[in-house]
Structure formats: structure tokens, C-alpha cells
Amino acid sequence: MQKDKKIIIANWKMNPDSEKEVQVIFSGIKKIASKLLNVQTIVCPPFIYIAKLVDSHKGHRIAFGSQNVFSENKGAFTGMISPNMLKNKGVEYVIIGHSERRALCEDNILVNKKIKSAIKSGLKVILCIGEKERDDHGHYFNFLKKQLLDSLEGVPKNSLHNLFIAYEPIWALSGNSGNKSMSSADVHEITIFIKKILHDQYRVKVMPKILYGGSANPKNAEDLILNGNVDGLLVGKASLDAKKFGEILSIVNKL
Ligand code: PGA
């Protein structure tokens, strides 16, 4: 049986400042990513850069994703980008519910609407969940369960193959942790927990892939994937450095 490809996502967030820098970072990533057989690379630039990148790159080893999307496809919604617009442009993936968007008042209800709408439009959804902090009583488990189930309310079984769950503990994101990721043992515990919730909810054999995000870098990528038992990584800061991101891709390709 063919081994499933690992998924490595570059979340550029609100970077870089110019088209010129986009080209430098992207061409560096492309040089490595387009050679790798065991990794699916997904680049998620800010909206303004997506169209040009999609038009200029044709290989299937790099796909494109957006960092957000609106929940509606038509109407008077100033400033929004719809799922159909992304799909028709050739964007394949969309990150929904990133903690930095949740911090801007996006709740589980809106996240849920966005997921349903994006899936209906044929996009693959990367749903982010993650707790702000950990406590000794394990309340974060209940928080994660609610975040996951509320976000997926009414999402049917037959959409699960278009869904990825990215576990991103907010406290481990590079901006909050001084680049220190969560331990792979703790990541493993959460992957089991997420799988159990999904299994209880859906009772299907084929589960969504589970990814980890939070200070992933070339030093911890192997440990996070092998011992954290995840299907891939969502990489923020290190994805803006083509050399570092390329190292992550090459390391993961060999696993
Ligand atoms: P980080 O960000 O790799 O910089 O911690 C990950 C993310 O926010 O998706």
C-alpha cells in the first residue's frame, strides 16, 4: 500500500510586505518542495498574493490555501472573500478558526458556518483548535472537545476526507512561547484525544488527518511527527524563511 503523504502547511500570516519578497520566499520553497514525493506542501499566503501564485505555479506537489474565508457566497459583505471565489481561482485549502482569528471575535458558531460553506464549495478545510493555557485539572480537555464538536456541528461524515484538524495550543505558538513547541509526548496525548472524540461522533474508519502547529521548526519536526503521531505540521514563523521551511520539508520527506 502506498504511504500517505505528510502534510506541511506554510501559514505566512500577515507577511511578507511586498510581492518581491513573496517571490523570493516562494521560489526558495518551490525548489525543495517540487522534488519531494512524500510530502504535500501547502502554502497559505495573504489573500492579495494568492491569485498570482496560483497562476504562476502548476505543479501538484505544492497546493495553495487561504488563511481565512467568509461563510457566505453571495451578498453585501464588504471586504469579504467567498469560498466560491477561492475555489474558482484554484485555491484548494482554507484554514478556518485559527486562534489569531478567534482572538478577533470569531466564535465556534461562525467557524462552523465557514466550514460548511467551504466544504460545499469544494474546498479542503484545515480546522484549527487549541487551548489558551493548561491547568492542573485538565479543563483544557473539555475546552478542546467543545471547540471541536461545536465547530463540526452538522458537518456530515462524507465530508471528513476534506477535513484536517490542526491542533495548535495558543501558548506554544512561536510568538507566545519564545519558539518553544509543545512536547511530542503531549502532542501524542492530544492526537489520541481528538481521534477518540471524532470516532465517538462519527463512527467511521477513515478519520481526518491531524496536524500540529506551534513553534514547529527543523529541530523539532521529526520528533513532533514521529513521536507526536501527527500527519503533518502547520508552520508559521519558520515558513517565512525558505531555508528553514525547506529543511522541515526535507526532514519530513525522509520519515
Ligand atoms: P508558529 O505559528 O509556527 O509561528 O508558532 C503556527 C501558526 O500560528 O499556525
Side-chain angles (χ1 to χ4, degrees):
M1 213 174 76
Q2 210 192 343
K3 212 168 87 175
D4 263 4
K5 286 188 181 203
K6 295 282 182 271
I7 312 286
I8 304 292
I9 306 173
N11 175 14
W12 287 356
K13 309 194 179 188
M14 201 175 69
N15 302 288
D17 276 350
S18 70
E19 191 73 54
K20 210 170 137 195
E21 289 171 83
V22 168
Q23 292 311 325
V24 172
I25 302 170
F26 184 72
S27 62
I29 291 177
K30 192 167 106 178
K31 242 187 245 157
I32 312 260
S34 54
K35 293 192 201 113
L36 306 180
L37 293 173
N38 303 322
V39 174
Q40 174 64 59
T41 301
I42 302 166
V43 176
C44 301
F47 282 129
I48 193 164
Y49 303 129
I50 292 187
K52 193 165 168 191
L53 284 170
V54 170
D55 288 342
S56 67
H57 180 78
K58 292 294 167 232
H60 60 275
R61 289 189 189 148
I62 301 177
F64 294 96
S66 68
Q67 300 170 17
N68 185 26
V69 68
F70 194 49
S71 53
E72 306 294 327
N73 264 318
K74 281 242 166 312
F77 299 107
T78 302
M80 296 307 189
I81 302 284
S82 75
N84 280 352
M85 287 178 195
L86 293 171
K87 180 69 185 170
N88 292 337
K89 188 64 236 173
V91 174
E92 279 182 63
Y93 294 81
V94 55
I95 298 173
I96 295 182
H98 191 283
S99 58
E100 287 152 15
R101 295 222 47 92
R102 292 180 188 266
L104 297 170
C105 296
E106 206 164 286
D107 60 11
N108 289 337
I109 296 173
L110 181 56
V111 166
N112 176 253
K113 280 192 192 150
K114 288 183 174 192
I115 293 174
K116 286 180 182 158
S117 186
I119 285 180
K120 212 166 165 190
S121 294
L123 294 166
K124 296 184 179 120
V125 169
I126 299 148
L127 163 64
C128 296
I129 59 167
E131 76 282 1
K132 213 187 222 156
E133 58 199 4
R134 293 220 148 185
D135 57 280
D136 294 339
H137 307 290
H139 292 314
Y140 55 91
F141 282 114
N142 295 335
F143 175 85
L144 287 172
K145 183 173 181 183
K146 183 164 169 44
Q147 212 178 31
L148 187 60
L149 291 180
D150 287 0
S151 302
L152 293 179
E153 167 85 44
V155 173
K157 268 184 196 178
N158 63 7
S159 315
L160 294 186
H161 62 286
N162 282 328
L163 183 73
F164 299 75
I165 310 291
Y167 171 59
E168 296 209 305
I170 299 173
W171 52 270
L173 297 185
S174 60
N176 304 331
S177 70
N179 301 322
K180 197 170 169 339
S181 82
M182 188 174 173
S183 78
S184 55
D186 287 345
V187 172
H188 192 184
E189 182 181 45
I190 296 292
T191 53
I192 294 169
F193 180 67
I194 293 173
K195 281 181 189 165
K196 164 101 176 71
I197 295 169
L198 292 172
H199 182 264
D200 289 349
Q201 183 71 6
Y202 287 102
R203 307 244 160 237
V204 286
K205 275 208 189 98
V206 182
M207 284 289 166
K209 289 192 188 311
I210 299 178
L211 318 173
Y212 167 80
S215 304
N217 61 47
K219 288 201 185 99
N220 58 27
E222 176 171 345
D223 178 41
L224 285 168
I225 295 222
L226 291 184
N227 302 318
N229 204 17
V230 286
D231 302 297
L233 300 170
L234 179 46
V235 186
K237 193 172 168 199
S239 73
L240 289 162
D241 179 330
K243 192 167 165 280
K244 273 197 190 145
F245 191 68
E247 274 178 59
I248 296 177
L249 295 173
S250 305
I251 290 166
V252 174
N253 189 57
K254 291 195 198 108
L255 299 179

